[in-house]
Amino acid sequence: MQPGSEPIRSVRNPLVQALRRLHRPSGRKEQGLILLEGTHLLQEALAQGLRPRQLLATPDWLARHGALVERLPDPGRLRIASPEVLAAAATTGHPDGVLLTLESADLPAPAEATPDFVLVLDRLQDPGNLGTLLRTALAAGVEQVWLSEGADPLQPKVLRASSGAALALPIERLAATDLPGRLVAARERGVQLVAAVVPEAGGAAQPYWELDWCRPTALLLGNEGAGLAPTLARLADRRVTIPHSPAVESLNVAAAAALLLLERPRQAHGRPGA
């Protein structure tokens, strides 16, 4: 297979400039596209049945990934570029030789039906944390993710940190003023609202394993520094905590989320040997 068009040799090429604009939220919104970097994310996109809008690859990458190139649904969208040109279009310091774009509208959208398991993130700021959380959420069987502002889930760093999970999860980003109403509506449809708090927090918090996670559940996790907004915490039906040594004040939100989210499938399947 021969990629279409002449190789791109200038960083001033219009395609390269369009890809660079996808580094910013305004560019992603304007073009309706997201930027993915690296072989693994290309593999994940194809596994999800997503059709790349545009691909940019170096000659060396093409020589090493012929079988993957043959899987492309539209090979004519592939353009060859020098390593210098590809690096100019990428957000990473050492790209592995391929970039691609996807249409935002092709990503999974939240279904109208009431979900059984929702992850609610309040103003999470760190893209690495968000990406890790999305990967754990997918592993735990989360059906929807609701974000109250915070980091953009479609920025390249989040997509890399999620290892492609952001391409498979229905994610909805809400204004902070809209989230309380969404949670109240979910509770009226039988979803329990569960807030994670630090062990010494006041109120009737219980160890997380004592909660019945098999019920329809929305887990609420707060900002890395300030925690869960008081308006959201007051809506919670249950407060859970992860008991740990007082040597540390609190756990990293992504580390805490792994224990909390995976408790649901653990309860559903039982302990090994039980």
Side-chain angles (χ1 to χ4, degrees), residues 7 37 40 55 70-71 83 89 95 121 179 214 221 258 265:
E37 305 178 32
H40 176 68
L55 293 101
E70 293 296 332
R71 292 173 53 198
L121 301 175
L179 183 58
C214 294
L221 297 175

XYZ file of all heavy atoms in Angstrom, residues 7 37 40 55 70-71 83 89 95 121 179 214 221 258 265:
115
model
N 5.228 13.397 0.528
C 5.647 13.504 1.933
C 5.694 14.964 2.389
O 5.992 15.864 1.595
C 7.049 12.883 1.925
C 7.064 11.981 0.723
C 6.204 12.671 -0.296
N -1.501 10.401 20.013
C -0.090 10.232 19.669
C 0.380 8.835 20.050
O 0.166 8.383 21.166
C 0.751 11.281 20.396
C 0.288 12.709 20.135
C 1.102 13.734 20.904
O 2.304 13.498 21.121
O 0.530 14.761 21.296
N 0.253 2.769 20.315
C -0.740 2.131 21.179
C -2.114 2.774 21.022
O -3.135 2.067 20.942
C -0.298 2.202 22.638
C -1.305 1.646 23.590
N -1.622 0.303 23.642
C -2.104 2.253 24.510
C -2.556 0.110 24.551
N -2.869 1.272 25.093
N -3.868 10.678 9.483
C -2.708 10.071 10.124
C -1.446 10.685 9.546
O -1.373 11.003 8.353
C -2.670 8.559 9.895
C -3.763 7.732 10.550
C -4.820 7.370 9.521
C -3.190 6.460 11.166
N -2.011 -1.978 7.233
C -2.975 -2.719 6.430
C -4.359 -2.751 7.067
O -5.360 -2.989 6.385
C -2.475 -4.151 6.202
C -1.239 -4.245 5.330
C -1.491 -3.762 3.908
O -2.658 -3.862 3.465
O -0.550 -3.283 3.268
N -4.442 -2.501 8.383
C -5.734 -2.511 9.081
C -6.465 -1.180 8.976
O -7.621 -1.082 9.400
C -5.515 -2.845 10.559
C -5.060 -4.268 10.817
C -4.707 -4.449 12.286
N -5.806 -4.006 13.153
C -5.652 -3.726 14.455
N -4.464 -3.831 15.019
N -6.700 -3.337 15.171
N 10.767 12.914 10.599
C 10.723 12.933 12.068
C 10.634 14.342 12.643
O 9.949 14.569 13.654
C 12.030 12.247 12.465
C 12.357 11.352 11.315
C 11.899 12.109 10.093
N 4.480 18.566 15.206
C 3.029 18.435 15.348
C 2.627 17.794 16.673
O 1.474 17.900 17.083
C 2.463 17.614 14.192
N 8.047 11.610 20.195
C 6.955 10.795 19.622
C 7.511 9.551 18.965
O 8.647 9.543 18.479
C 6.316 11.750 18.609
C 7.381 12.742 18.268
C 8.182 12.915 19.519
N -16.480 13.179 38.939
C -15.226 13.822 39.308
C -15.430 15.331 39.391
O -15.827 15.965 38.408
C -14.133 13.486 38.286
C -13.841 11.990 38.113
C -12.842 11.770 36.990
C -13.330 11.402 39.419
N -24.109 20.081 37.746
C -23.913 18.747 38.301
C -24.866 18.410 39.443
O -25.387 17.283 39.486
C -22.459 18.574 38.745
C -22.091 17.189 39.282
C -22.374 16.099 38.257
C -20.608 17.158 39.669
N -23.087 -3.143 44.919
C -23.822 -3.770 43.820
C -25.122 -3.043 43.493
O -25.751 -3.327 42.476
C -24.089 -5.237 44.143
S -22.569 -6.223 44.210
N -15.875 11.836 43.659
C -14.505 12.102 44.076
C -14.186 13.571 43.842
O -14.589 14.156 42.834
C -13.518 11.239 43.300
C -13.637 9.721 43.496
C -12.673 8.998 42.559
C -13.361 9.346 44.935
N -8.913 3.531 42.724
C -8.727 2.136 42.319
C -9.357 1.185 43.336
O -10.048 0.232 42.966
C -7.240 1.832 42.149
N -16.846 -4.765 41.394
C -16.707 -6.100 40.799
C -16.245 -7.152 41.804
O -16.592 -8.334 41.663
C -15.680 -5.894 39.675
C -15.015 -4.604 39.968
C -16.005 -3.767 40.697
